[in-house]
Amino acid sequence: MVSKAEVTSNSADTIKLASAGALVLLGLVAFYYFAAQSLLLRVVGLLVIGALAAFIVYQTDLGKRTVAFFRDARTEVRKVVWPSRAETTQTTLTVFIIVVLVGIFLWLFDMLLAYLFRAITGI
């Protein structure tokens, strides 16, 4: 049974998200407004504003759920049993050989169909 997760939204979270978006927008406007200044200073300022906006977003329920999702995803990726180098090489070679064999088979089948077509139509 599939159940929908309830998304609760309160006005404080909405205000925080809107302020973070406005902060990012203000940072981008300032980045281009101060085009005569050093690029390094503008990039550092933009990174600081982005970090501040990310901190504000993290304070919301959506931000905390997003961080928890990525933390859980990272945990699941660590559980994956990755193939060894030898297994990867063997699988790659097997796929390559099968692709070549199927290609040759299709080429021969195409030649047979072309021969039959020419024989039937007399071209």
Side-chain angles (χ1 to χ4, degrees):
M1 175 182 225
V2 177
S3 63
K4 279 185 143 179
E6 287 187 31
V7 177
T8 57
S9 175
N10 58 21
S11 60
D13 280 354
T14 305
I15 292 170
K16 289 176 187 176
L17 290 172
S19 65
L23 191 62
V24 169
L25 186 62
L26 179 68
L28 287 172
V29 168
F31 180 82
Y32 288 108
Y33 181 77
F34 295 110
Q37 302 300 320
S38 168
L39 179 64
L40 177 64
L41 290 176
R42 292 187 298 146
V43 169
V44 168
L46 195 58
L47 289 174
V48 168
I49 289 174
L52 184 60
F55 177 75
I56 293 171
V57 168
Y58 177 71
Q59 300 305 314
T60 65
D61 182 50
L62 175 67
K64 290 181 180 175
R65 284 189 291 131
T66 303
V67 169
F69 171 78
F70 282 110
R71 189 175 297 126
D72 292 342
R74 184 176 174 204
T75 302
E76 291 299 320
V77 167
R78 288 183 176 176
K79 292 179 184 178
V80 173
V81 178
W82 298 101
S84 67
R85 183 177 180 94
E87 291 171 331
T88 305
T89 304
Q90 290 171 355
T91 305
T92 303
L93 286 174
T94 303
V95 168
F96 181 73
I97 290 169
I98 290 173
V99 165
V100 169
L101 291 175
V102 168
I104 291 170
F105 171 76
L106 290 175
W107 175 61
L108 292 173
F109 188 66
D110 181 53
M111 287 178 56
L112 174 68
L113 289 177
Y115 172 76
L116 291 174
F117 181 76
R118 276 182 262 142
I120 292 171
T121 59
I123 297 176

